Amino acid sequence: MGKMEFHTDITRQRKALDPCFEPCPIERGMRVIGGKWTGSILWHLKDHPVRFNDLARQLGGASKKVLNDRLKQMEENKLIKREVISTKPFAVCYEITDFGRTALDFLEALKDWSLEHRI
Amino acid sequence: MGKMEFHTDITRQRKALDPCFEPCPIERGMRVIGGKWTGSILWHLKDHPVRFNDLARQLGGASKKVLNDRLKQMEENKLIKREVISTKPFAVCYEITDFGRTALDFLEALKDWSLEHRI
DNA sequence: AAAATAGGTTACAAAAAAGTAACTGGTTGC
DNA sequence: GCAACCAGTTACTTTTTTGTAACCTATTTT
């Protein structure tokens, strides 16, 4: 009935062989690249920069807010770069960075894996 | 700045070139492999099956509930297999499936990417 | 002048994920 | 016979993520 508080008897406690208290590299990588839409956005930018509303249309399903949140996060993580072009009606372009490009192989592998296993 | 290719330019094209209404393979793959702890769990199982509480200790940080939820989901997705060994004090082992194994290359690539870029 | 476009922002609601603590029911070792 | 182990389950609560809709400033087309 009573709660089992942690007694001083450590002798019988089993220890983990290799506990990972910190998120491991896999977890950390997933946080950067695994967010919803992140992969898709990067994929859409791989050939050329894309403008905000075009991206919104291409990713039919992501709202402007979500898209905007994600773009900001991706910019912070240096996966993409936001560029304002001061033409008469100003335009904004999002383009993939060199760093962002380093994730493409990996995303392609994921894409192939998904298709291969009909996920 | 170089080339500035707008694929939908200042021409009034209000249609997306290739809208993806369905989640694309990258998104779908992420849903299977990208959940919190999923990658780590698979990684811990790659060499040999591991028992529930050992896994819990190794992944110091995941509660039993979360671990259990994740294991069930991973079993549903056929990434792992739950096996009950009916010894006197019964034991439960989680082991990676052949399918789960197909994701390891990809996870290793992610791990290397994270380490390489100090993520 | 009205409507539509660009590139967002804001306030709020809903849903999903994650975490906490207690509890179960059986077993083993002391 | 009590504590600790195994492998969870249950009942919540908290946090995070995601989505909806309206709004904004400025320009441009009809």
Side-chain angles (χ1 to χ4, degrees), chain A:
Chain A
M1 272 284 165
K3 57 176 177 179
M4 228 160 263
E5 277 295 313
F6 170 88
H7 273 234
T8 42
D9 187 356
I10 316 163
T11 51
R12 256 184 271 175
Q13 281 191 340
R14 289 191 64 168
K15 278 170 59 193
L17 293 180
D18 59 88
C20 50
F21 298 106
E22 295 281 310
C24 68
I26 290 174
E27 280 313 311
R28 295 199 310 273
M30 278 298 186
R31 283 187 200 167
V32 171
I33 204 71
K36 202 168 177 181
W37 302 112
T38 307
S40 304
I41 291 172
L42 217 53
W43 196 253
H44 272 98
L45 299 188
K46 76 178 169 47
D47 296 323
H48 40 67
V50 181
R51 293 171 61 169
F52 183 81
N53 280 326
D54 286 335
L55 208 47
R57 273 185 290 266
Q58 281 163 22
L59 276 69
S63 70
K64 284 173 156 208
K65 177 185 158 289
V66 172
L67 182 55
N68 198 42
D69 289 355
R70 196 58 34 159
L71 287 168
K72 276 178 179 166
Q73 187 201 294
M74 289 174 74
E75 206 193 345
E76 234 168 72
N77 287 338
K78 311 271 185 238
L79 289 170
I80 61 169
K81 203 170 146 248
R82 180 178 181 273
E83 233 175 315
V84 180
I85 298 138
S86 35
T87 41
K88 321 94 198 184
F90 84 106
V92 177
C93 260
Y94 290 91
E95 63 177 298
I96 191 167
T97 61
D98 286 343
F99 172 53
R101 230 166 253 293
T102 65
L104 287 178
D105 281 357
F106 163 82
L107 287 177
E108 187 152 26
L110 177 59
K111 181 172 73 70
D112 292 346
W113 183 74
S114 292
L115 292 171
E116 202 179 321
H117 297 96
R118 300 174 272 315
I119 289 169

Side-chain angles (χ1 to χ4, degrees), chain B residues 51-53 57 64-65 68 72 82 91-92 94:
Chain B
R51 293 172 61 169
F52 184 82
N53 280 327
R57 272 187 291 267
K64 283 174 159 210
K65 177 187 159 286
N68 198 42
K72 276 178 180 166
R82 181 177 180 273
V92 177
Y94 290 91

Side-chain angles (χ1 to χ4, degrees), chain B residues 3-66:
Chain B
K3 56 177 175 179
M4 222 166 271
E5 299 181 88
F6 293 62
H7 71 302
T8 21
D9 216 38
I10 312 296
T11 57
R12 283 121 285 158
Q13 275 196 320
R14 256 77 258 205
K15 300 280 165 69
L17 291 181
D18 60 88
C20 49
F21 298 107
E22 296 280 308
C24 67
I26 291 175
E27 280 313 312
R28 295 199 309 273
M30 279 297 187
R31 284 186 199 169
V32 172
I33 203 72
K36 200 169 177 180
W37 301 112
T38 307
S40 305
I41 291 172
L42 218 53
W43 197 252
H44 273 97
L45 299 188
K46 77 178 170 45
D47 296 323
H48 41 67
V50 181
R51 293 172 61 169
F52 184 82
N53 280 327
D54 285 336
L55 209 47
R57 272 187 291 267
Q58 280 163 24
L59 275 69
S63 70
K64 283 174 159 210
K65 177 187 159 286
V66 171

